[in-house]
Amino acid sequence: MPQTPSIAVENVTVTYHDQVALYGINFALPPGTMVGLVGMNGSGKSTLFKTIMGFITPKTGRVWIEGLPIEQAQKRGWVAYMPQSEQVDWQFPVRVQDVVMMGRYGYMNWLRIPRPLDRRIVEMSLQQVDMLPLKDRQIGELSGGQKKRTFLARALAQQARILLLDEPFNGVDMKTERAMIQLLMHLRDTGHTILVSSHDLSGISTFCDQIIFINQTILAYGATQEVFTPENLNRTFGVTFPEATS
């Protein structure tokens, strides 16, 4: 019996003010897969993430999460999203652990009073990204990489089955990036489905099972060893990559 895809995007077209942002997007991601989303700035990567999350309603097509419409999957907390840039007032006095606790809001009542379980999960999530020692630090005092790790911890605290990560390594040092990749690979191995975009072309080809090349539409999609080729890189970025290997 065929396995239900974690994410299925069917014939999605998105327009902004009559301008096409995405068109004819089709792909299905199986459970327990790490998928790299590769494209130039302005190619539609962030728009695709927001469409999968249900923040943008496509002009045509549908998004399914484990066989359910995105609205139902969101109510179940199945998808966590780490956007490329957070709309945060960095001067607002909020601690690291408070930001991560936001990932637990869907499990709380309307008063949003954390339970002991919520606190344990927040601490565990902070520990996973090596931010537990900074849990009482004000968010505005963090470096760019520490902010990225904090928002990854928030996504982990949500305990979603599917993670959408838009440029999670942007602004982090190499040591932190390697640690984050190891964590994501562990999550993949425990059944999570992860869609991640990155500017690091050489890096993303080493830890992703599949690659989606995008420029408003899908240019190529499949197993990394099959589609990460000079030809597809050239099609995607419009320049020659003579050293690229499949």
Side-chain angles (χ1 to χ4, degrees), residues 35-191:
V35 181
L37 185 63
V38 175
M40 297 186 297
N41 288 336
S43 62
K45 298 191 298 294
S46 294
T47 298
L48 179 57
F49 279 125
K50 292 174 184 176
T51 303
I52 294 172
M53 286 298 297
F55 300 157
I56 295 174
T57 301
K59 183 176 182 180
T60 65
R62 294 293 302 272
V63 175
W64 303 91
I65 303 296
E66 297 191 0
L68 293 181
I70 181 61
E71 300 82 6
Q72 295 183 33
Q74 286 284 40
K75 290 178 181 178
R76 290 165 169 79
W78 288 356
V79 189
Y81 174 47
M82 179 179 165
Q84 187 171 153
S85 59
E86 293 282 347
Q87 299 301 311
V88 173
D89 179 359
W90 299 111
Q91 304 308 312
F92 189 77
V94 60
R95 298 173 302 169
V96 167
Q97 62 182 334
D98 298 326
V99 172
V100 180
M101 187 63 75
M102 294 175 188
R104 301 297 304 163
Y105 281 178
Y107 298 92
M108 300 179 191
N109 61 24
W110 64 275
L111 291 175
R112 289 181 176 172
I113 298 175
R115 301 162 298 169
L117 174 62
D118 298 315
R119 298 188 188 281
R120 287 198 300 272
I121 290 172
V122 165
E123 290 216 348
M124 180 181 68
S125 301
L126 284 166
Q127 190 168 34
Q128 284 181 290
V129 299
D130 197 26
M131 285 293 291
L132 189 56
L134 301 179
K135 67 178 183 177
D136 293 315
R137 185 76 58 88
Q138 297 295 315
I139 191 73
E141 298 174 358
L142 301 181
S143 68
Q146 289 168 341
K147 291 172 184 173
K148 286 282 187 180
R149 284 188 280 157
T150 297
F151 289 112
L152 177 56
R154 184 184 67 179
L156 296 176
Q158 187 178 322
Q159 295 190 310
R161 309 177 188 186
I162 299 165
L163 299 177
L164 307 180
L165 309 177
D166 196 355
E167 296 289 350
F169 312 122
N170 192 22
V172 305
D173 58 61
M174 288 300 297
K175 180 181 178 182
T176 299
E177 180 176 335
R178 286 194 295 268
M180 291 172 68
I181 290 170
Q182 287 297 318
L183 172 59
L184 295 178
M185 292 175 70
H186 169 72
L187 293 170
R188 183 269 317 274
D189 292 344
T190 57

Side-chain angles (χ1 to χ4, degrees), residues 180-244:
M180 291 172 68
I181 290 170
Q182 287 297 318
L183 172 59
L184 295 178
M185 292 175 70
H186 169 72
L187 293 170
R188 183 269 317 274
D189 292 344
T190 57
H192 290 73
T193 299
I194 303 167
L195 181 62
V196 54
S197 67
S198 175
H199 282 111
D200 183 1
L201 296 179
S202 59
I204 204 167
S205 67
T206 64
F207 63 85
C208 288
D209 308 301
Q210 300 178 1
I211 299 288
I212 298 173
F213 286 101
I214 187 172
N215 190 0
Q216 295 188 298
T217 194
I218 302 297
L219 302 177
Y221 165 52
T224 301
Q225 65 269 24
E226 295 175 2
V227 303
F228 197 83
T229 64
E231 292 77 15
N232 285 329
L233 287 165
N234 296 342
R235 289 177 64 203
T236 304
F237 295 96
V239 294
T240 302
F241 288 82
E243 301 301 322

